[in-house]
């Protein structure tokens, strides 16, 4: 008898593997990436919302898989791409192609789903910490997950950065602000006491001056086409060791830091005058 396909082969095989092995929690197959995708979905939505649609082959009808995964705000458009990406990951894996470019995409979608739920339902810090065990972060203690991470990506810290940015957004509850094209990564500003609300109020000329001072502080050439990658590495270094990369000249570093702080203070003063005026 021909096997019934639920959504696509990737979902069908992965959910069946989960069901067949969930009673043996130490089984290595439960830590394979396809099964971890299903386990992560269950951690976000609950087992009934994932397994029941599979058992009833209900993908897009009322009470089915699609409605369950979009109930916290994840869009139907993104869900469609998530399902396609999971199948493409499956096909790429079967062809033994590494790195698998769909690995990162799927993980980021799972993080997005979780933080949609976090916005909809009050969650404790313990719940946030528990969820991290399902993610392929660089500090994972699970040997199987660490091996898959290293095999499927070229930068094992990329998901760390994305997850921190989602945590930052969740803790600050951003309002919609005017879009600024020429912005650095959020941590570059918050590291120096600047908020994205302040950034949104800067004119392009002032923002560019501030960006250049921040890049110079981290010894990054503003014209370097890979400046964002270098800045991300510098931020990670600072967060890990408590100090930015230095040229070794303390006097020069101090002047650069004071220059950045001066720009911030002058800009805050200008914003205050604009608001009061």
């Amino acid at each position: 008898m021909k096997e019934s396909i639920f959504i696509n082969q990737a979902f069908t095989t992965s959910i069946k593997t989960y069901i067949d092995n969930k009673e043996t929690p130490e089984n290595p197959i439960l830590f394979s990436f396809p099964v971890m995708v299903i386990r992560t979905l269950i951690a976000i939505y609950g087992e009934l919302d994932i397994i029941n649609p599979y058992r009833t082959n209900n993908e897009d009808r009322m009470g089915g898989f699609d409605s369950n995964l979009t109930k916290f705000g994840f869009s139907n458009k993104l869900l469609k791409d998530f399902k396609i990406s999971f199948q493409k990951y499956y096909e790429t894996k079967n062809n033994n192609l590494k790195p698998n470019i769909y690995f990162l995409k799927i993980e980021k979608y799972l993080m997005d789903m979780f933080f949609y739920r976090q916005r909809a339902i009050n969650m404790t810090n313990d719940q946030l910490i528990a969820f991290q065990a399902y993610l392929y972060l660089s500090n994972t203690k699970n040997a199987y997950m660490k091996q898959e991470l290293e095999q499927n990506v070229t930068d094992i810290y990329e998901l760390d950065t994305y997850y921190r940015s989602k945590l930052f957004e969740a803790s600050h509850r951003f309002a919609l602000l005017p879009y600024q094209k020429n912005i650095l990564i959020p941590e570059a500003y918050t590291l120096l006491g600047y908020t994205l609300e302040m950034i949104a109020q800067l004119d392009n000329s002032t923002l560019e001056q501030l960006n250049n001072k921040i890049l110079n502080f981290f010894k990054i050439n503003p014209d370097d086409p890979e400046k964002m990658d270098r800045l991300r590495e510098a931020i990670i270094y600072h967060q890990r060791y408590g100090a930015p990369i230095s040229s070794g000249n303390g006097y020069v570093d101090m002047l650069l830091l004071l220059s950045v702080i001066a720009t911030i203070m002058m800009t805050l003063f200008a914003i205050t005058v604009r608001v009061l005026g």
Side-chain angles (χ1 to χ4, degrees):
M1 182 177 178
K2 187 176 180 180
E3 179 187 30
S4 176
I5 299 298
F6 176 64
I7 303 177
N8 54 45
Q9 192 63 56
F11 277 98
T12 302
T13 301
S14 302
I15 294 176
K16 184 177 186 304
T17 302
Y18 166 77
I19 293 173
D20 290 345
N21 296 278
K22 68 175 185 175
E23 300 304 326
T24 56
E26 300 304 317
N27 191 331
I29 200 168
L30 287 176
F31 298 98
S32 63
F33 182 71
V35 179
M36 283 301 298
V37 170
I38 303 306
R39 293 179 61 191
T40 307
L41 288 174
I42 290 171
I44 298 170
Y45 297 99
E47 188 169 84
L48 289 179
D49 279 1
I50 307 303
I51 302 304
N52 277 4
Y54 166 79
R55 295 190 187 282
T56 58
N57 199 22
N58 182 0
E59 179 181 356
D60 52 15
R61 301 188 306 276
M62 183 178 296
F65 186 84
D66 288 3
S67 61
N68 290 344
L69 265 66
T70 55
K71 65 182 178 181
F72 296 128
F74 194 70
S75 73
N76 282 295
K77 180 180 178 180
L78 293 178
L79 177 58
K80 180 180 179 181
D81 191 54
F82 170 70
K83 292 190 288 188
I84 292 172
S85 297
F86 195 26
Q87 177 62 21
K88 287 183 176 179
Y89 166 84
Y90 184 80
E91 293 168 357
T92 303
K93 179 177 182 293
N94 286 342
N95 290 327
N96 202 31
L97 298 176
K98 298 175 183 178
N100 192 323
I101 62 174
Y102 299 100
F103 182 96
L104 284 174
K105 192 173 186 181
I106 292 167
E107 275 292 286
K108 289 178 180 179
Y109 274 146
L110 291 171
M111 292 181 193
D112 292 345
M113 291 177 194
F114 176 78
F115 282 101
Y116 271 113
R117 180 193 173 192
Q118 194 267 348
R119 283 199 291 270
I121 301 173
N122 289 329
M123 301 179 69
T124 66
N125 190 56
D126 287 342
Q127 288 174 302
L128 287 172
I129 294 173
F131 178 69
Q132 292 179 31
Y134 294 90
L135 301 177
Y136 285 77
L137 303 176
S138 64
N139 63 353
T140 178
K141 298 296 190 293
N142 185 283
Y144 302 109
M145 294 174 67
K146 183 176 285 293
Q147 183 179 32
E148 291 219 47
L149 175 64
E150 293 171 349
Q151 289 176 346
N152 284 293
V153 303
T154 55
D155 179 5
I156 65 170
Y157 299 107
E158 183 171 344
L159 287 172
D160 296 25
T161 301
Y162 189 80
Y163 184 66
R164 283 198 302 270
S165 72
K166 300 302 291 187
L167 280 174
F168 183 86
E169 290 174 17
S171 63
H172 287 77
R173 300 286 183 181
F174 293 121
L176 291 177
L177 299 169
Y179 175 66
Q180 293 278 24
K181 292 183 179 179
N182 188 29
I183 62 170
L184 305 174
I185 59 176
E187 292 90 343
Y189 302 108
T190 57
L191 200 63
L192 295 167
Y194 231 142
T195 69
L196 296 188
E197 289 89 342
M198 295 175 185
I199 295 298
Q201 299 179 60
L202 303 183
D203 58 67
N204 288 331
S205 176
T206 304
L207 178 59
E208 184 175 0
Q209 291 178 40
L210 177 60
N211 287 348
N212 287 339
K213 289 182 183 297
I214 290 175
L215 291 170
N216 287 331
F217 179 65
F218 286 106
K219 313 298 180 294
I220 300 169
N221 185 343
D223 297 323
D224 187 339
E226 298 182 357
K227 64 184 178 183
M228 295 302 287
D229 290 334
R230 298 188 191 283
L231 179 60
R232 188 175 291 107
E233 291 173 0
I235 296 295
I236 292 173
Y237 184 96
H238 176 92
Q239 291 171 331
R240 190 171 299 165
Y241 299 109
I245 298 172
S246 170
S247 64
N249 189 325
Y251 179 70
V252 173
D253 291 343
M254 182 58 69
L255 286 179
L256 286 170
L257 179 58
L258 290 174
S259 178
V260 173
I261 293 173
T263 299
I264 292 173
M265 296 304 294
M266 289 299 293
T267 305
L268 289 177
F269 176 74
I271 293 172
T272 303
V273 170
R274 188 184 311 166
V275 172
L276 293 179

